[in-house]
mmCIF file of all heavy atoms in Angstrom:
data_model
loop_
_atom_site.group_PDB
_atom_site.id
_atom_site.type_symbol
_atom_site.label_atom_id
_atom_site.label_comp_id
_atom_site.label_asym_id
_atom_site.label_seq_id
_atom_site.Cartn_x
_atom_site.Cartn_y
_atom_site.Cartn_z
ATOM 1 N N GLU A 219 -15.632 -4.223 -39.885
ATOM 2 C CA GLU A 219 -16.002 -3.556 -41.135
ATOM 3 C C GLU A 219 -15.853 -2.048 -41.046
ATOM 4 O O GLU A 219 -15.790 -1.359 -42.044
ATOM 5 C CB GLU A 219 -17.487 -3.846 -41.452
ATOM 6 C CG GLU A 219 -17.813 -5.303 -41.636
ATOM 7 C CD GLU A 219 -17.035 -5.874 -42.795
ATOM 8 O OE1 GLU A 219 -17.171 -5.318 -43.893
ATOM 9 O OE2 GLU A 219 -16.274 -6.842 -42.572
ATOM 10 N N LYS A 220 -15.873 -1.561 -39.836
ATOM 11 C CA LYS A 220 -15.963 -0.114 -39.671
ATOM 12 C C LYS A 220 -14.617 0.571 -39.512
ATOM 13 O O LYS A 220 -14.551 1.781 -39.419
ATOM 14 C CB LYS A 220 -16.824 0.208 -38.438
ATOM 15 C CG LYS A 220 -18.233 -0.343 -38.527
ATOM 16 C CD LYS A 220 -19.041 0.071 -37.326
ATOM 17 C CE LYS A 220 -20.460 -0.480 -37.424
ATOM 18 N NZ LYS A 220 -21.250 -0.172 -36.243
ATOM 19 N N ILE A 221 -13.551 -0.213 -39.422
ATOM 20 C CA ILE A 221 -12.255 0.409 -39.154
ATOM 21 C C ILE A 221 -11.221 0.070 -40.222
ATOM 22 O O ILE A 221 -11.327 -0.955 -40.898
ATOM 23 C CB ILE A 221 -11.703 -0.009 -37.764
ATOM 24 C CG1 ILE A 221 -11.734 -1.542 -37.608
ATOM 25 C CG2 ILE A 221 -12.516 0.643 -36.655
ATOM 26 C CD1 ILE A 221 -11.149 -2.021 -36.284
ATOM 27 N N GLY A 238 -11.691 4.753 -37.483
ATOM 28 C CA GLY A 238 -13.030 4.434 -37.956
ATOM 29 C C GLY A 238 -13.270 5.056 -39.318
ATOM 30 O O GLY A 238 -12.804 6.162 -39.593
ATOM 31 N N LYS A 239 -13.971 4.347 -40.191
ATOM 32 C CA LYS A 239 -14.354 4.956 -41.459
ATOM 33 C C LYS A 239 -15.283 6.130 -41.177
ATOM 34 O O LYS A 239 -16.144 6.031 -40.298
ATOM 35 C CB LYS A 239 -15.073 3.929 -42.337
ATOM 36 C CG LYS A 239 -14.176 2.791 -42.784
ATOM 37 C CD LYS A 239 -14.966 1.803 -43.631
ATOM 38 C CE LYS A 239 -14.106 0.590 -43.951
ATOM 39 N NZ LYS A 239 -14.901 -0.512 -44.518
ATOM 40 N N PRO A 240 -15.117 7.213 -41.946
ATOM 41 C CA PRO A 240 -15.873 8.432 -41.636
ATOM 42 C C PRO A 240 -17.386 8.212 -41.575
ATOM 43 O O PRO A 240 -18.069 8.811 -40.755
ATOM 44 C CB PRO A 240 -15.514 9.373 -42.784
ATOM 45 C CG PRO A 240 -14.229 8.868 -43.313
ATOM 46 C CD PRO A 240 -14.197 7.398 -43.070
ATOM 47 N N GLN A 241 -17.906 7.335 -42.436
ATOM 48 C CA GLN A 241 -19.372 7.189 -42.445
ATOM 49 C C GLN A 241 -19.902 6.580 -41.153
ATOM 50 O O GLN A 241 -21.096 6.600 -40.900
ATOM 51 C CB GLN A 241 -19.854 6.383 -43.658
ATOM 52 C CG GLN A 241 -19.459 4.932 -43.676
ATOM 53 C CD GLN A 241 -18.207 4.718 -44.511
ATOM 54 O OE1 GLN A 241 -17.265 5.500 -44.445
ATOM 55 N NE2 GLN A 241 -18.189 3.649 -45.290
ATOM 56 N N TYR A 242 -19.002 6.019 -40.336
ATOM 57 C CA TYR A 242 -19.463 5.460 -39.067
ATOM 58 C C TYR A 242 -19.167 6.388 -37.894
ATOM 59 O O TYR A 242 -19.262 5.975 -36.742
ATOM 60 C CB TYR A 242 -18.820 4.096 -38.820
ATOM 61 C CG TYR A 242 -19.202 3.066 -39.849
ATOM 62 C CD1 TYR A 242 -18.270 2.573 -40.749
ATOM 63 C CD2 TYR A 242 -20.515 2.608 -39.922
ATOM 64 C CE1 TYR A 242 -18.625 1.642 -41.714
ATOM 65 C CE2 TYR A 242 -20.879 1.676 -40.881
ATOM 66 C CZ TYR A 242 -19.933 1.198 -41.772
ATOM 67 O OH TYR A 242 -20.292 0.285 -42.713
ATOM 68 N N ALA A 243 -18.794 7.628 -38.196
ATOM 69 C CA ALA A 243 -18.490 8.576 -37.115
ATOM 70 C C ALA A 243 -19.674 8.654 -36.170
ATOM 71 O O ALA A 243 -20.823 8.547 -36.570
ATOM 72 C CB ALA A 243 -18.178 9.945 -37.686
ATOM 73 N N LYS A 244 -19.360 8.835 -34.900
ATOM 74 C CA LYS A 244 -20.385 8.787 -33.862
ATOM 75 C C LYS A 244 -20.939 10.168 -33.565
ATOM 76 O O LYS A 244 -20.265 11.159 -33.761
ATOM 77 C CB LYS A 244 -19.750 8.246 -32.579
ATOM 78 C CG LYS A 244 -19.353 6.817 -32.697
ATOM 79 C CD LYS A 244 -20.484 5.996 -32.265
ATOM 80 C CE LYS A 244 -20.397 4.619 -32.853
ATOM 81 N NZ LYS A 244 -21.457 3.774 -32.423
ATOM 82 N N GLU A 249 -15.641 6.476 -28.669
ATOM 83 C CA GLU A 249 -14.780 5.457 -29.257
ATOM 84 C C GLU A 249 -13.480 6.097 -29.697
ATOM 85 O O GLU A 249 -13.077 5.997 -30.843
ATOM 86 C CB GLU A 249 -15.503 4.802 -30.426
ATOM 87 C CG GLU A 249 -16.747 4.089 -29.967
ATOM 88 C CD GLU A 249 -17.528 3.461 -31.110
ATOM 89 O OE1 GLU A 249 -17.129 3.586 -32.276
ATOM 90 O OE2 GLU A 249 -18.559 2.847 -30.813
ATOM 91 N N PHE A 281 -18.042 12.484 -34.361
ATOM 92 C CA PHE A 281 -16.708 12.224 -33.838
ATOM 93 C C PHE A 281 -16.130 10.958 -34.447
ATOM 94 O O PHE A 281 -16.760 9.904 -34.386
ATOM 95 C CB PHE A 281 -16.768 12.095 -32.310
ATOM 96 C CG PHE A 281 -17.351 13.314 -31.653
ATOM 97 C CD1 PHE A 281 -18.708 13.382 -31.353
ATOM 98 C CD2 PHE A 281 -16.549 14.391 -31.360
ATOM 99 C CE1 PHE A 281 -19.249 14.507 -30.759
ATOM 100 C CE2 PHE A 281 -17.082 15.525 -30.768
ATOM 101 C CZ PHE A 281 -18.428 15.589 -30.472
ATOM 102 N N SER A 283 -14.032 7.606 -34.809
ATOM 103 C CA SER A 283 -13.530 6.613 -33.858
ATOM 104 C C SER A 283 -12.049 6.400 -34.129
ATOM 105 O O SER A 283 -11.612 6.477 -35.270
ATOM 106 C CB SER A 283 -14.242 5.280 -34.038
ATOM 107 O OG SER A 283 -15.633 5.466 -33.928
#
Side-chain angles (χ1 to χ4, degrees):
E219 299 299 304
K220 301 183 180 176
I221 51 178
K239 294 179 186 168
Q241 67 264 42
Y242 297 112
K244 292 270 157 178
E249 297 178 359
F281 303 94
S283 304

